Amino acid sequence: MVCEMETDQTEEMEIEVLSSMWPEDVGTQADNQFNVEKPAGDSDTLKEVDIAEKRTMADLKRLPELMNTTDQGTSQLTNLVKQWEYMQDHAVKLLREELKILTKQREEAEAKELKIIEEHNFESQEPENVPVLDDTSHLFRRFKHKKRDALIGSKRVEIEEEFDTVAYWKQKALSLEKMLEASTERERRLIEKLNESLKTMESHSAPVEELTQNLKRAEGFLHFILQNAPIVMGHQDKDLRYLFIYNKFPTLREQDILGKTDVEIFHGGGVKESEDFKREVLEKGKASKREITFETELFGSKTFLIYVEPVYNKAREKIGINYMGMEVTDQVRKREKMAKLREDNAVRKAMESELNKTIHITEETMRAKQMLATMSHEIRSPLSGVVGMAEILSTTKLDKEQRQLLTVMMSSGDLVLQLINDILDLSKVESGVMRLEATKFRPREVVKHVLQTAAASLKKDLTLEGNITDEVPIEVVGDVLRIRQILTNLISNAIKFTHEGKVGIKLKVISEPSFASGMELNADAEEQNGLTETETSVWIRCDVYDTGIGIPGKNRTRRPISYKKALPCLFKKYMQASADHARKYGGTGLGLAICKQLVELMGGQLTVTSQVNAGSTFTFILPYKVATSDDHSDDQDFSDMVDHHQPEPDDTTEGYFQFKPLLGSIYSNGGPVIGNNNFLPHKVMLTSPLKLVNGFVAEPSNNTGQSETTQVENNGYMDETCSGPCLSKETESCSSSQASSEGGALEMESELTVSSRREEENTETSKQPKILLVEDNKINIMVAKSMMKQLGYTFDIANNGVEAINAIKDSSYDLVLMDVCMPVLDGLKATRLIRSYEESGNWDAAIEAGVDIKILENEQACVHSTNRLPIIAMTANTLAESSEECYANGMDSFISKPVTLQKLKECLRQYLD
Amino acid sequence: MELVQMQKSLQDYTKSLFLDGVLDSQFLQLQQLQDESNPDFVSQVVTLFFQDSDRILNDLSLSLDQQVVDFKKVDPHVHQLKGSSSSIGAQRVKNACVVFRSFCEQQNVEGCHRCLQQVKKEYYLVKNRLETLFKLEQQIVASGGMIPAMELGF
């Protein structure tokens, strides 16, 4: 029955690929997969399949019909028939051959008979028998002839009697009789054989039987192959109604499927698609394959690879389709998994490369920043040389034009220096190198000092005021250096853009701002600030206000403001400068960016409000720890120093300060000392923004006694130490120091004894200055020594900070060259301690810091001095040892390593000549 | 060898040290510092440098071979070596030290080992070259010649 080819179709369901396609538990009944075979629960076995018998089944009825009407259907039958015919032909051929042989034998026998008859004419009656036989059957006759031939051939009748005697005839008759008997016997046997043969032929002639056998075999084979395959097959008619199905879903009964369409049988995803697909195939008349995922209640989600081909009848009309489906759910799943993996992989790779790119960019950026920092550092040294020389030049006799040129040159140089310092500051903050320190300080003093400093260099008729509310603690803990930096920056900014009116600082305590609560940054910052949660902290709001030109809210203004754009841009780096405004007001555009970064680093917030032509207010809010009396403080900060210069105890609590410009006053000393000096000792390095602020031209500072009102920038070293005493109330101490100072603010000494020694030195140049070299590296010492020698100096050596402190304690030096990075006590700390000593007159801070100092009380008393000892750092060119750090720790200048003769010479000149 | 020739080859040799980056201008500083009052200054400093560096390198090797490397000990050594080499103008040693320190900062033992090898390599290179240089100078002096002054500016 060839049912295999034709088909039917089943459906799309299935099961696990490897076991049966349908779940086993569903198919518990002994359903045969050939639905054809299971007529109503009949459990027939394959062997019993007989087309004829099965005609009872609905589908079977149509099967022969189908087979008869379709080419495919008939082809198999045709084959079988052909095969059978061939076999029959073969049998016929064999029989014919046999017949031929027999015929031949008969002919021979006849020939012999003829001969005998000729020989014995009289015997002619004998053959009469033959015709009788012949009549009955041609075959019989043939056999008879044959027999006769044989007889004749084998037995010649031998007669011993005389011919024609009685005896002779008798004898002959006898023998002939015998022969006849034998012949008869043979005949009989042949007939038997013939009968047998006939029977065999009969059996051969039943083709139906044979075909049935073949079909059974084919069917058995197909069943054997297909019974476990995850394959459904079916045939559907033109309306896509099932006519046959093989390996259907077990729970469906025949009647559930046959005569119905997919859509009628199944529900769920994919059913419609498969139906459409079948229809499409039917319409196009072209076999095709498609993968369809079914999502049915019956068997869940399964994917089938479906093959559909159209079926034609002999008239080439479409009569339906054959359908074959193989379940490929697992394969599809694997494939999809694979695709997904591949996709993931690709995505990951893309991300990786993206990440790499980012890392690369970050590295590049870091490198660029580092490079910028390094370059800036490197540029600074020669540049400060240039500026310094220009300043020296400005003290010589110049005509007006030259002086103007020189002024431009110096201010440009200052600008570049400031820019470089700002860059270094920024890169420090950004690279996270900037570390905050927690020191105890007095906010009032810091404010006062900042204002004093600003007032000292004020060229305009402005009032500077400070206003601190009472609830602001007297002492708080924070990074006073940075706070001062911010304040001075803001103040100088305010002054810069204010032409009349006032500039001031207001401090008050506020409650914790909303931005700070729960902010991690803040916690970090507090930690950095040395604050811990348990300690009381206080938020202080600091307003720096002015009555200046203001900042336009939107960038539409044509006002002469340096902020090219609106407020939002204010804190961006380099945002300030339009060329015009930069020229008019100076500055690098980095100052506010630095302030903002610093404030944020400390966990605070910097904001600004402004009104054009009315003024601006910069506000920063910072958390501080409230200092307790037993606070450790191993270093005295600047405010403390200021304090030591301020005898009035009220200062600690005073809440209001006001400074008016002291026009033409304090620095008009016309110091004789400077008169005989070619160099104006002065600003050596204009580096830290802190000092820069201080470094505004001290108006009218014609301290060299020159007739012209030269604007010598008398900045650099006139920060805390000098400006404190010089300004405001302390006029006496100021005047005394002016007398002794070697021009400028290098050393504002209040002790006349010391200064007189210095004057002496200045006049008698032969006298050797005392220099202390603090350096741990023997080779460096050796080299430095040799250089000093060539420059005509000698020096003492200390190998680390502690030795340096002890040396300074024991004798007075004119200059210290201090390595930064040293064992035991590094140069920065040592410098801080020395400065603290200068301010306080005692080594308490050093002792507190654990420096082993041998002091006799009385000895200390007599050495007590407030000289500011010039300390020059020797720095390796690294971020960690940046010049900011040096300045911040109280050093006056720096020489970058390796030290060269030229650098050393310049430096010593500046400080010693 | 002719004195002039020796002087010429000394000059060439010195020049090659600068061109190779073995030495930098700081070495010229040392040479400048050497005068009649201190005729052996350069070789004294360099000898001190050798002694010092041999010791430092030895210490560094020991420190880095510890099971647990104490970077607090390693870093000062490298810093020291960097300072010294920078002072005598042993540029390549100095540069290697800079890298070394960055690995110290990262506490990268493996990187430190590599750097130590690099530093050693550069150190022995400069040592070898300088010794050769001094030998040449001695020969010249022995032949009664003057050490030609290196011109600044390359």
Side-chain angles (χ1 to χ4, degrees), chain A residues 792-846:
Chain A
Y793 296 106
T794 57
F795 57 80
D796 295 342
I797 296 161
N799 284 315
N800 58 51
V802 173
E803 287 186 26
I805 286 174
N806 277 309
I808 289 164
K809 175 181 65 66
D810 293 337
S811 52
S812 82
Y813 287 96
D814 297 307
L815 182 72
V816 176
L817 292 168
M818 178 91 78
D819 186 19
V820 172
C821 183
M822 283 180 301
V824 188
L825 182 66
D826 70 37
L828 299 177
K829 281 204 191 101
T831 305
R832 277 209 307 268
L833 296 175
I834 292 163
R835 293 294 181 229
S836 156
Y837 161 72
E838 286 173 355
E839 297 308 321
S840 66
N842 63 59
W843 288 103
D844 294 353

Side-chain angles (χ1 to χ4, degrees), chain A residues 618-656:
Chain A
F618 285 82
T619 302
F620 65 93
I621 306 168
L622 281 180
Y624 306 87
K625 194 180 75 173
V626 178
T628 49
S629 52
D630 59 339
D631 241 348
H632 74 286
S633 164
D634 57 0
D635 35 23
Q636 305 277 28
D637 53 63
F638 292 104
S639 56
D640 285 343
M641 299 176 198
V642 172
D643 189 34
H644 292 296
H645 281 273
Q646 311 278 343
E648 298 93 334
D650 323 18
D651 261 13
T652 52
T653 53
E654 195 181 351
Y656 183 76

Side-chain angles (χ1 to χ4, degrees), chain B residues 29-90:
Chain B
Q29 289 274 325
L30 297 191
Q31 291 188 322
Q32 270 185 300
L33 292 172
Q34 181 164 291
D35 54 23
E36 308 80 46
S37 67
N38 199 355
D40 293 327
F41 176 69
V42 176
S43 78
Q44 276 170 14
V45 173
V46 171
T47 309
L48 181 62
F49 172 70
F50 288 158
Q51 288 166 0
D52 202 43
S53 302
D54 283 335
R55 180 185 53 79
I56 290 172
L57 287 174
N58 197 31
D59 289 352
L60 273 176
S61 303
L62 288 177
S63 299
L64 281 180
D65 281 342
Q66 299 298 311
Q67 207 110 57
V68 179
V69 178
D70 183 358
F71 286 98
K72 286 206 189 88
K73 271 191 198 153
V74 174
D75 190 60
H77 281 131
V78 183
H79 176 72
Q80 176 96 357
L81 187 58
K82 180 182 153 225
S84 313
S85 52
S86 153
S87 278
I88 70 148

Side-chain angles (χ1 to χ4, degrees), chain A residues 371-383:
Chain A
M371 167 133 164
L372 190 63
T374 312
M375 267 178 51
S376 306
H377 193 96
E378 287 301 307
I379 292 167
R380 186 161 50 186
S381 316
L383 187 61

Side-chain angles (χ1 to χ4, degrees), chain A residues 49-51 207-217:
Chain A
V49 174
D50 181 328
I51 301 178
V208 172
E209 177 94 1
E210 200 165 323
L211 280 173
T212 309
Q213 290 291 334
N214 281 344
L215 286 173
K216 264 186 196 161
R217 237 178 288 138

Side-chain angles (χ1 to χ4, degrees), chain A residues 693-752:
Chain A
V693 168
N694 301 341
F696 287 145
V697 177
E699 172 91 349
S701 60
N702 50 346
N703 45 358
T704 56
Q706 282 159 350
S707 51
E708 253 176 295
T709 45
T710 331
Q711 299 191 347
V712 175
E713 300 198 16
N714 196 359
N715 36 21
Y717 294 92
M718 56 169 312
D719 50 40
E720 348 4 299
T721 32
C722 71
S723 57
C726 290
L727 294 172
S728 72
K729 304 151 195 165
E730 308 220 18
T731 39
E732 322 92 302
S733 84
C734 219
S735 55
S736 70
S737 66
Q738 278 151 14
S740 62
S741 112
E742 308 177 353
L746 209 158
E747 312 216 342
M748 301 299 270
E749 300 165 17
S750 56
E751 288 182 26
L752 288 169

